[in-house]
Amino acid sequence: FLIYLLIEFLSVYYFFYKTLKQNRLKLLYFFLILFTCLFIFSLLYWSKSNSLITQGINSVFITVFVFVSTFLWFKDVFGDLEIPVLWRNPKFQFIAGFLLYYSSTLFLYISSNFIFENKNLIFSDYWFLNILATFIFRMILILATWNQLRK
């Protein structure tokens, strides 16, 4: 599952690398170096008993990266006022999907080890939130891609 997180981060990183303005590249490089260090650290200390913790740490970092990059994108868009109707912009639709998915699953990934080890809680009930968030996220991405292809 750590390879999935690596691919996930690289995909989101590439999207924001192509989306954000050139003056934001130093911050993106900083996040890339920080994630690389965190990922290597996670690989070194990964074991079956703490796999959910290492995945949670990486997921929280990706969420923070998405929040910061989204904030910078909104700052650039509202600073330039270049997009007349925000909802019709495919980049906004992708970013809205990222925000919805990562904000709805943040708590789940942070507490997944606790939920899994606690015998009074049923892990599958909480994991349904992840399935629902993933479904909504993919639907938004499909609609954004379709909108992009239509233009």
Side-chain angles (χ1 to χ4, degrees):
F1 285 111
L2 286 179
I3 298 300
Y4 173 76
L5 290 172
L6 175 65
I7 295 169
E8 178 181 359
F9 176 77
L10 291 176
S11 300
V12 172
Y13 177 84
Y14 182 75
F15 173 79
F16 282 112
Y17 180 81
K18 291 293 189 180
T19 302
L20 291 176
K21 293 185 175 184
Q22 294 294 332
N23 61 348
R24 308 288 188 198
L25 291 182
K26 287 182 182 178
L27 184 64
L28 288 176
Y29 291 142
F30 172 74
F31 271 106
L32 181 63
I33 291 169
L34 202 60
F35 180 78
T36 303
C37 294
L38 182 67
F39 187 77
I40 291 171
F41 179 78
S42 296
L43 282 177
L44 293 175
Y45 291 100
W46 184 88
S47 69
K48 239 182 182 178
S49 62
N50 70 356
S51 66
L52 290 176
I53 294 172
T54 56
Q55 289 176 14
I57 291 170
N58 286 312
S59 295
V60 168
F61 182 83
I62 295 171
T63 303
V64 169
F65 172 71
V66 167
F67 287 167
V68 169
S69 299
T70 299
F71 173 76
L72 293 174
W73 184 80
F74 276 118
K75 186 176 177 188
D76 291 342
V77 166
F78 289 129
D80 298 341
L81 296 174
E82 60 189 33
I83 301 174
V85 179
L86 206 53
W87 180 246
R88 291 188 185 153
N89 185 327
K91 287 181 184 177
F92 172 76
Q93 293 169 350
F94 278 103
I95 289 174
F98 288 147
L99 277 177
L100 283 172
Y101 174 73
Y102 285 105
S103 61
S104 63
T105 59
L106 178 65
F107 173 73
L108 178 67
Y109 288 128
I110 289 174
S111 61
S112 61
N113 194 48
F114 171 75
I115 295 170
F116 185 71
E117 290 180 354
N118 192 337
K119 302 300 180 203
N120 295 331
L121 301 175
I122 300 172
F123 190 68
S124 61
D125 290 346
Y126 289 93
W127 208 249
F128 178 73
L129 173 66
N130 184 35
I131 294 169
L132 183 63
T134 302
F135 177 74
I136 293 170
F137 177 55
R138 289 186 184 190
M139 292 304 295
I140 291 172
L141 291 183
I142 289 170
L143 291 174
T145 304
W146 181 61
N147 257 349
Q148 182 70 27
L149 293 175
R150 265 189 2 183
K151 289 186 176 190

